């Protein structure tokens, strides 16, 4: 069964450093998403992406965050200057239509120290 | 108030029991998802519903759009069903709002 692949599975970074979280969505999917889950809390929406642009973003997704689909296969989330409160599990998801189900990646656990 | 409420928050069952998890929402939705999250953290999609009822193996999901309520049922529960079950609603234009999840433990 096709999978959404996320790398790395765990990243530790110093506060203030830039991090890039990588995702390879399912190849024929057109809609891409990032969600995050702070430990012990519910999953929160960050951003949706379609046709090479952001379709919607949450209040969390401020100027420190950006997304990119640099080469037609990868979908990346960049955090420019990490804060302690960015520590969370980050999930990438993709869908082949806006009305179909999602496939989630296994997540990247980001720890900011 | 949370836009998506789940109950119960925690559920313990003996193997073989019939289990029901409930989800209520307060916003307009285009679909409702039931998801499963295992201790390692990965999220697996179980169902997407916009009306009626769906069944997959021992899992059944129902939705009542008028009452803004959905239920997930597990028949003949098994220890391998132990996980967190999450209700998430899709709101326009294109995002999911998640509930806090129901932690299920099934004992042999």
């Amino acid at each position: 069964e096709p999978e959404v692949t996320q790398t790395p599975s765990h990243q530790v970074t110093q506060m203030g450093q830039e991090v890039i979280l990588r995702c390879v969505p399912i190849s024929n999917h057109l809609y891409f998403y990032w969600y995050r889950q702070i430990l012990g809390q519910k999953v929160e929406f960050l951003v949706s992406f379609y046709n090479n642009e952001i379709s919607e973003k949450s209040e969390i997704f401020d100027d420190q965050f950006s997304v990119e689909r640099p080469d037609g296969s990868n979908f990346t989330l960049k955090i420019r200057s990490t804060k302690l409160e960015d520590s969370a599990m980050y999930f990438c998801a993709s869908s082949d239509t806006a009305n179909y189900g999602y496939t989630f990646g296994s997540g990247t656990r980001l720890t900011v120290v | 108030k949370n836009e998506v409420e789940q109950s119960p928050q925690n559920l313990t069952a003996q193997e073989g029991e019939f289990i029901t998890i409930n989800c209520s929402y307060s916003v307009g939705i285009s679909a409702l998802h039931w998801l499963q999250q295992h201790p390692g953290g990965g999220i697996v999609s179980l169902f997407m519903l916009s009306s009626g009822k769906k069944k997959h193996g021992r899992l059944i999901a129902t939705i009542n759009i008028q009452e803004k309520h959905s239920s997930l049922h597990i028949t003949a529960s098994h220890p391998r069903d132990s996980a967190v079950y999450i209700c998430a609603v899709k709101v326009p234009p294109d995002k999911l709002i998640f509930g806090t999840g129901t932690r299920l433990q099934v004992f042999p």
Side-chain angles (χ1 to χ4, degrees):
Chain A
E1 189 164 330
E3 290 183 344
V4 173
T5 305
Q6 287 188 243
T7 55
S9 57
H10 191 187
Q11 179 151 3
V12 181
T13 190
Q14 295 269 353
M15 191 169 54
Q17 294 296 303
E18 175 183 286
V19 294
I20 297 177
L21 309 183
R22 302 181 191 279
C23 169
V24 179
I26 292 173
S27 60
N28 62 342
H29 283 190
L30 301 175
Y31 297 81
F32 313 110
Y33 312 86
W34 284 101
Y35 289 83
R36 79 171 186 190
Q37 185 177 32
I38 295 171
L39 189 63
Q41 297 186 21
K42 64 181 180 179
V43 179
E44 303 171 287
F45 169 76
L46 290 178
V47 65
S48 57
F49 190 87
Y50 169 71
N51 201 25
N52 283 320
E53 59 184 34
I54 290 173
S55 348
E56 187 176 2
K57 60 183 181 179
S58 71
E59 291 176 354
I60 303 165
F61 195 90
D62 61 21
D63 292 344
Q64 293 300 313
F65 290 87
S66 62
V67 289
E68 199 175 39
R69 191 157 158 77
D71 56 11
S73 61
N74 290 284
F75 179 51
T76 61
L77 174 69
K78 182 193 288 186
I79 309 174
R80 267 181 261 286
S81 177
T82 50
K83 307 183 188 75
L84 294 176
E85 55 264 37
D86 294 327
S87 295
M89 181 77 98
Y90 287 80
F91 292 102
C92 173
S94 69
S95 174
D96 62 354
T97 74
N99 296 316
Y100 200 64
Y102 292 69
T103 302
F104 286 85
S106 54
T108 293
R109 183 167 298 284
L110 176 66
T111 303
V112 182
V113 296
Chain B
K1 187 182 185 305
N2 287 326
E3 293 154 305
V4 181
E5 299 272 5
Q6 282 186 240
S7 63
Q9 284 189 299
N10 294 284
L11 187 52
T12 302
Q14 287 293 124
E15 184 173 355
E17 285 185 8
F18 181 84
I19 286 159
T20 296
I21 299 170
N22 295 299
C23 175
S24 297
Y25 54 92
S26 58
V27 293
I29 70 170
S30 56
L32 182 143
H33 294 254
W34 281 102
L35 308 158
Q36 182 189 58
Q37 186 172 32
H38 280 281
I43 296 173
V44 175
S45 181
L46 299 175
F47 294 104
M48 186 185 76
L49 295 159
S50 52
S51 64
K53 176 178 173 178
K54 286 190 177 180
K55 184 176 190 291
H56 185 252
R58 294 180 295 106
L59 301 179
I60 303 166
T62 64
I63 187 168
N64 184 319
I65 298 291
Q66 285 73 32
E67 294 186 4
K68 294 189 172 180
H69 181 269
S70 175
S71 294
L72 176 69
H73 306 285
I74 305 175
T75 61
S77 59
H78 190 276
R80 65 173 174 265
D81 297 326
S82 298
V84 176
Y85 292 84
I86 303 172
C87 170
V89 297
K90 184 164 182 177
V91 298
D94 189 19
K95 72 178 182 187
L96 292 178
I97 301 175
F98 285 70
T100 52
T102 295
R103 184 174 301 278
L104 171 65
Q105 288 186 289
V106 182
F107 292 99

